[in-house]
Amino acid sequence: MRAATTILSRGAEATIEQLTIFGKECIKKTRIKKSYRHPSLDEKLRKERMSHEAKMLHAVKELGVRAPLLYAIDHHEMAIYMEYLDAPRLKHVLQSKTKGKLREELCVELGKQIATLHAHDIVHGDLTTSNVLVDKLKTKKPELVFIDFGLASITSKLEDKAVDLVNLKKTFSATHSELPRGWELIVQGYLSNSGKEAVLKQLKEVEARIRYA
Ligand SMILES: Nc1ncnc2c1ncn2[C@@H]1O[C@H](COP(=O)(O)OP(=O)(O)O)[C@@H](O)[C@H]1O
Ligand SMILES: [Mg+2]
């Protein structure tokens, strides 16, 4: 039985719908067709990215880093079905004025969780505060949930991990000027939880390269 569907977001790569199947709320993420690509190449790419995201969601779960549970893959529609989280984006929580101490704690926690991903050679590929949700916000122990693993990869290279952080740093300072210490706290969390100094050193090199490019 399938009930009403609500479209939550239409991005460049995917449509996100919220729907109820057998009484369970889920998210359906469908890879959008690109008419500028040859149809068979388009199908191949959409299929690859969809399967890849499903694989990464599974891999992350094994590490104890939260990501939505994967429910099903629809190879015909190029869609994955996953757990729906009634949780705001980290971006909104950090931008809300009311949660002073919590906001700082979430930055530290974000750094810690990224360090766990990196320690297991998982690079998210699109780290922004819109791709992290805050579950259980009203409780004493809110939990970060990472989403949007379409660009994630498995790599042991320092450079890849550094670029993951550079991307976050860039969007973070642009979106969260209200939290000037935010980045520092993320780094503090990263280093406190097996994050490597070498990655941060590489981050500086990547930034210098960007600056002089
Ligand atoms: N499992 C989920 N539960 C609740 N909301 C979600 C879930 N997955 C995605 N969303 C919402 O949809 C938005 C877009 O999803 P995302 O996977 O980041 O796709 P895109 O590639 O378009 O950025 C997210 O920022 C979030 O608000
Ligand atoms: Mg996203």
Side-chain angles (χ1 to χ4, degrees):
M1 192 191 73
R2 248 168 89 148
T5 296
T6 315
I7 294 186
L8 291 189
S9 126
R10 268 185 220 274
E13 295 294 327
T15 304
I16 308 286
E17 293 163 87
Q18 182 188 347
L19 67 166
T20 311
I21 301 178
F22 293 122
K24 206 166 179 62
E25 282 197 88
C26 342
I27 288 285
K28 179 183 181 189
K29 181 167 183 174
T30 312
R31 293 265 148 202
I32 295 169
K33 275 189 191 158
K34 302 278 169 144
S35 52
Y36 58 80
R37 286 197 291 242
H38 187 280
S40 59
L41 174 67
D42 186 57
E43 189 173 322
K44 183 172 171 278
L45 285 177
R46 283 159 61 227
K47 195 172 216 146
E48 271 174 17
R49 288 180 189 162
M50 177 196 64
S51 314
H52 181 71
E53 183 159 10
K55 216 164 74 188
M56 297 308 297
L57 280 176
H58 187 70
V60 166
K61 210 183 101 218
E62 307 270 284
L63 310 178
V65 170
R66 272 194 75 194
L69 290 172
L70 177 67
Y71 291 152
I73 306 178
D74 183 334
H75 289 279
H76 183 68
E77 285 197 61
M78 305 291 184
I80 53 180
Y81 289 83
M82 65 184 116
E83 173 186 12
Y84 166 74
L85 292 140
D86 186 11
R89 297 175 195 195
L90 178 59
K91 178 176 172 178
H92 295 301
V93 179
L94 294 184
Q95 284 176 340
S96 68
K97 297 269 182 294
T98 50
K99 308 220 166 48
K101 190 156 183 291
L102 173 68
R103 291 188 301 165
E104 300 203 336
E105 286 167 3
L106 289 174
C107 288
V108 175
E109 189 56 29
L110 178 62
K112 283 188 182 175
Q113 303 268 334
I114 297 169
T116 302
L117 291 176
H118 285 185
H120 292 87
D121 290 342
I122 293 182
V123 161
H124 182 280
D126 193 12
L127 280 178
T128 65
T129 50
S130 292
N131 284 336
V132 181
L133 307 179
V134 187
D135 197 19
K136 304 184 185 165
L137 183 58
K138 302 243 160 71
T139 70
K140 279 197 188 123
K141 268 203 142 301
E143 291 179 9
L144 298 181
V145 185
F146 287 75
I147 61 168
D148 205 357
F149 283 86
L151 295 172
S153 54
I154 298 179
T155 166
S156 57
K157 287 191 193 143
L158 283 182
E159 172 81 7
D160 295 337
K161 294 174 187 176
V163 169
D164 214 21
L165 292 179
V166 168
N167 287 337
L168 175 64
K169 188 177 177 186
K170 269 198 281 185
T171 61
F172 192 92
S173 39
T175 4
H176 299 293
S177 52
E178 74 285 354
L179 270 177
R181 281 190 63 227
W183 178 251
E184 210 181 293
L185 294 169
I186 293 172
V187 169
Q188 187 188 309
Y190 189 81
L191 290 175
S192 76
N193 191 30
S194 76
K196 298 263 183 298
E197 283 280 0
V199 175
L200 294 167
K201 205 170 144 241
Q202 189 69 17
L203 176 147
K204 294 215 170 76
E205 282 183 29
V206 176
E207 284 181 323
R209 241 184 283 146
I210 295 171
R211 228 174 289 131
Y212 298 117

